[in-house]
């Protein structure tokens, strides 16, 4: 089973308030993308990985990757306006003989290698999987004016993470379907913030794989502080 890694890294970190691509923001002394990729070294997935970059910044990405992983080769693909577009561009850049694709956000530099491995095993067995963690917070639904509108049963709720891993034919089909849904009927289906949702919307099963709460997504300045603290702790361990 030929497995390839795809990293959507084309976001500009609006909520982080960074001046430039979020994936190149330094955390614990290295670019976030470098930490993220390093989680995949034990699985041999760094070499040949597809990195989706924000299109004006190809040179900076190529330089950062070359400096951190001089022995490894990457395929760089330009990103699109939304994450879904970026992943679609990345899927188009996979090697033609790839069977399984591991999609992992550049913004998650703390994925556990055991979760990555479990995600791949589940995708090989079932076709599609996502790492996720059971919600520990009670989730509130609000109306448009920020009044409590309802409280879903926490026992059924999971917080989505990445990696999400798929048989390549299945995820390509899901993205084609999503692109049609987005353009047909005046584009009323909002673009998805993850890929497993697109597969499930097609009526295909997606296996949930238990993640860890360390696998946070760096979204806000507070998240960056947490990531810094956790990564420094790993370094000194
Ligand atoms: N991403 C992407 N292409 C986009 C938007 C996002 O490849 N057009 C990637 C980001 O680089 C990130 C992942 O999708 O690795 C999750 O996105 P998010 O955390 O929302 O990052 P940003 O879009 O950069 O942040 P913000 O929404 O605050 O601008
Ligand atoms: Mg975003």
């Amino acid at each position: 089973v030929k497995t390839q890694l795809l990293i959507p890294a084309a976001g500009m970190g609006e909520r982080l308030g960074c001046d430039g691509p979020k994936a190149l923001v330094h955390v614990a002394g290295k670019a976030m993308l470098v930490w993220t990729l390093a989680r995949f070294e034990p699985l041999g997935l760094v070499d040949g990985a597809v990195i989706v970059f924000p299109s004006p910044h190809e040179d900076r990405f190529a330089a950062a990757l070359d400096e951190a992983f001089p022995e490894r080769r990457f395929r760089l693909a330009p990103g699109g306006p939304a994450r879904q577009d970026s992943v679609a561009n990345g899927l188009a850049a996979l090697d033609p003989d790839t069977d399984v694709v591991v999609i992992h956000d550049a913004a998650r530099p703390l994925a556990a290698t055991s979760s990555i491995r479990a995600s791949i095993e589940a995708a090989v067995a079932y076709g599609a999987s996502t790492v996720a963690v059971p919600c520990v917070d009670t989730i509130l639904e609000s109306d448009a004016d920020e009044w409590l509108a309802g409280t879903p049963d926490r026992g059924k709720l999971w917080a989505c993470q990445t990696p999400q891993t798929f048989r390549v034919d299945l995820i390509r089909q899901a993205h084609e379907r999503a692109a049609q849904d987005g353009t047909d009927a005046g584009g009323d289906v909002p673009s998805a913030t993850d890929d497993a949702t697109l597969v499930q919307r097609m009526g295909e099963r997606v296996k949930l794989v238990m993640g860890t709460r360390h696998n946070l997504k760096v979204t806000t300045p507070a998240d960056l502080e947490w990531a810094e603290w956790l990564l420094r702790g790993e370094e000194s361990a």
Side-chain angles (χ1 to χ4, degrees), residues 11-15 22 81-83 193 217 219:
M12 294 301 287
E14 219 165 285
R15 288 169 289 179
K22 182 162 83 177
R83 183 185 182 283
T193 53
K217 180 161 75 74
T219 308

Side-chain angles (χ1 to χ4, degrees), residues 2-86:
K2 171 161 167 166
T3 305
Q4 203 171 358
L5 175 62
L6 192 174
I7 305 276
M12 294 301 287
E14 219 165 285
R15 288 169 289 179
L16 189 58
C18 51
D19 187 27
K22 182 162 83 177
L24 298 184
V25 164
H26 273 234
V27 45
K30 289 181 212 168
M32 200 184 309
L33 175 63
V34 170
W35 285 111
T36 302
L37 280 166
R39 316 304 286 199
F40 293 85
E41 273 294 23
L43 292 150
L45 288 172
V46 174
D47 199 44
V50 174
I51 313 291
V52 188
F53 63 93
S55 42
H57 299 286
E58 179 162 13
D59 293 351
R60 288 184 59 194
F61 274 71
L65 290 167
D66 191 52
E67 193 198 328
F69 303 99
E71 316 276 87
R72 303 283 179 241
R73 288 290 156 264
F74 297 94
R75 275 179 191 274
L76 292 176
R83 183 185 182 283
Q84 186 178 308
D85 310 301
S86 295

Side-chain angles (χ1 to χ4, degrees), residues 28-193:
K30 289 181 212 168
M32 200 184 309
L33 175 63
V34 170
W35 285 111
T36 302
L37 280 166
R39 316 304 286 199
F40 293 85
E41 273 294 23
L43 292 150
L45 288 172
V46 174
D47 199 44
V50 174
I51 313 291
V52 188
F53 63 93
S55 42
H57 299 286
E58 179 162 13
D59 293 351
R60 288 184 59 194
F61 274 71
L65 290 167
D66 191 52
E67 193 198 328
F69 303 99
E71 316 276 87
R72 303 283 179 241
R73 288 290 156 264
F74 297 94
R75 275 179 191 274
L76 292 176
R83 183 185 182 283
Q84 186 178 308
D85 310 301
S86 295
V87 172
N89 291 354
L91 291 173
L94 291 175
D95 295 343
D97 57 343
T98 294
D99 304 296
V100 165
V101 60
V102 182
I103 303 177
H104 183 68
D105 287 341
R108 291 190 190 269
L110 282 144
T113 301
S114 57
S115 315
I116 300 170
R117 196 171 279 123
S119 173
I120 294 169
E121 282 168 6
V124 169
Y126 307 113
S129 77
T130 181
V131 174
V133 285
C135 276
V136 293
D137 292 315
T138 294
I139 304 294
L140 306 179
E141 194 176 347
S142 78
D143 68 12
D145 300 316
E146 297 187 5
W147 292 93
L148 182 59
T151 306
D153 173 12
R154 191 180 67 198
K156 285 189 188 170
L157 296 179
W158 295 65
C160 186
Q161 297 185 342
T162 66
Q164 300 190 328
T165 308
F166 307 95
R167 271 197 348 248
V168 170
D169 54 343
L170 185 61
I171 190 63
R172 283 218 169 102
Q173 196 191 342
H175 270 266
E176 277 160 26
R177 181 81 65 94
Q180 281 163 15
D181 290 347
T183 49
D184 295 356
D188 59 340
V189 178
S191 130
T193 53

Side-chain angles (χ1 to χ4, degrees), residues 184-201:
D184 295 356
D188 59 340
V189 178
S191 130
T193 53
D194 81 302
D195 300 289
T197 296
L198 300 180
V199 170
Q200 190 274 332
R201 269 189 208 158

